[in-house]
């Protein structure tokens, strides 16, 4: 048969059938059973070795890690700040005094966040000495009580609306947890308010001066310090009843502790937080 001669359909079909299975030589897809067995054995051994090598490497790496404390913590030497309730968008709170639905989400978020701080939830926690670091050696790590009454008007005990219905909204500020952190001096969270309209807006902080007691440090990690409660600072703005919209910017930062930073050119949120509050009648 020359190159120009074309194979018939039956010839091509017969060749494909013979390639799939050749009854004369016993080959399947061009290989005998022995050849298939050897190549499958090779790949089984090869990929089995790779899997064993990967498993052994992971096991060796895991032996260097502590399940309770992160191994590398040098990149986070100073905590940032967080605010509650969670803002709807980009650290901005907006509500209307005359519309309870506009601030209902904020109230629900605050109640949910403060639930672990209820008196009943803290009955098994320790009453610690004020002004002293509470260092422990384990294996059991106790947590100090944080009396909800320290938040005064922002505790939710006397005002279930946290001041939103009266034009005096509350925002909770807390430091991020860092394992082993031992603040020096007398740390506190200092907040200042800047009004867009130029009118002065009064601001109150609870506990007084935004004090953060040393007894809540150090923190030993989520698995060891199971019942740990973070110290909180409440910021309350006093807009009062007003028919004109109010818009202010609040900046809070950590002060009073030489080993806690509140300024970094590479991280503008280190040790500080800035949020906006817009209130309408």
């Amino acid at each position: 048969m020359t190159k120009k001669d074309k194979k018939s359909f039956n010839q091509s079909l017969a060749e494909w059938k013979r390639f799939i299975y050749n009854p004369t030589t016993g080959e399947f897809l061009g290989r005998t059973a022995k050849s298939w067995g050897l190549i499958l054995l090779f790949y089984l051994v090869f990929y089995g070795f790779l899997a064993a090598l990967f498993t052994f490497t992971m096991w060796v790496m895991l032996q260097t890690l502590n399940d309770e404390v992160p191994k590398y913590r040098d990149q986070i030497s100073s905590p940032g700040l967080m605010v509650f309730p969670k803002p709807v968008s980009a650290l901005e709170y907006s509500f209307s005094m005359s519309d309870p639905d506009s601030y209902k989400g904020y109230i629900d978020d605050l109640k949910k966040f403060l639930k672990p701080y209820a008196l009943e939830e803290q009955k098994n926690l320790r009453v610690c000495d004020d002004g002293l670091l509470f260092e422990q050696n384990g294996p059991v790590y106790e947590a100090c009580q944080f009396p909800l009454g320290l938040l005064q008007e922002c505790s939710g005990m006397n005002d279930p609306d946290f001041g939103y219905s009266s034009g005096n909204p509350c925002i909770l500020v807390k430091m991020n947890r860092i394992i082993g952190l031992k603040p020096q001096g007398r740390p506190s969270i200092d907040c200042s308010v800047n009004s867009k309209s130029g009118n002065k807006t009064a601001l109150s902080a609870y506990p007084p001066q935004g004090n953060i007691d040393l007894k809540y440090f150090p923190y030993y990690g989520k698995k060891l310090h199971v019942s740990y409660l973070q110290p909180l600072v409440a910021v309350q703005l006093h807009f009062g009843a007003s028919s004109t919209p109010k818009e202010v910017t609040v900046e809070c930062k950590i002060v009073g502790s030489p080993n806690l930073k509140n300024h970094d050119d590479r991280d503008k949120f280190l040790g500080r937080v800035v949020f906006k509050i817009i209130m309408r009648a």
Side-chain angles (χ1 to χ4, degrees), residues 175-200:
M175 292 168 48
N176 292 332
R177 300 180 183 184
I178 295 182
I179 296 175
L181 177 67
K182 299 178 183 179
Q184 299 170 1
R186 300 185 63 183
S188 63
I189 295 178
D190 178 64
C191 298
S192 59
V193 58
N194 179 30
S195 177
K196 188 175 182 180
S197 61
N199 298 325
K200 291 185 178 180

Side-chain angles (χ1 to χ4, degrees), residues 201-219:
T201 302
L203 180 148
S204 298
Y206 314 110
Q209 290 80 48
N211 178 59
I212 299 177
D213 203 294
L214 293 176
K215 65 184 178 182
Y216 301 105
F217 302 95
Y219 169 60

Side-chain angles (χ1 to χ4, degrees), residues 82-95 102-114 154 161-162 164 169-174 233-235 273 275-277:
M82 293 185 64
V83 292
F84 287 89
K86 295 178 181 178
V88 176
S89 61
L91 292 176
E92 181 176 301
Y93 300 93
S94 178
F95 70 98
S102 66
Y103 54 80
K104 182 179 182 298
Y106 297 146
I107 294 174
D108 292 342
D109 196 22
L110 284 170
K111 289 180 178 178
K112 181 180 179 181
F113 178 74
L114 290 175
C154 293
D161 289 340
F162 296 93
Y164 284 85
C170 290
I171 305 294
L172 301 181
V173 186
K174 72 178 183 69
V233 171
V235 178
V273 65
F275 55 93
K276 182 186 293 185
I277 300 180

Side-chain angles (χ1 to χ4, degrees), residues 70-88:
K71 183 175 182 179
Y72 299 108
R73 293 176 286 152
D74 56 330
Q75 296 298 319
I76 308 177
S77 58
S78 193
L81 296 179
M82 293 185 64
V83 292
F84 287 89
K86 295 178 181 178
V88 176

Side-chain angles (χ1 to χ4, degrees), residues 1-8 11:
M1 183 181 292
T2 64
K3 292 183 179 180
K4 294 183 179 180
D5 294 333
K6 293 184 178 180
K7 298 179 182 179
S8 66
Q11 287 177 320

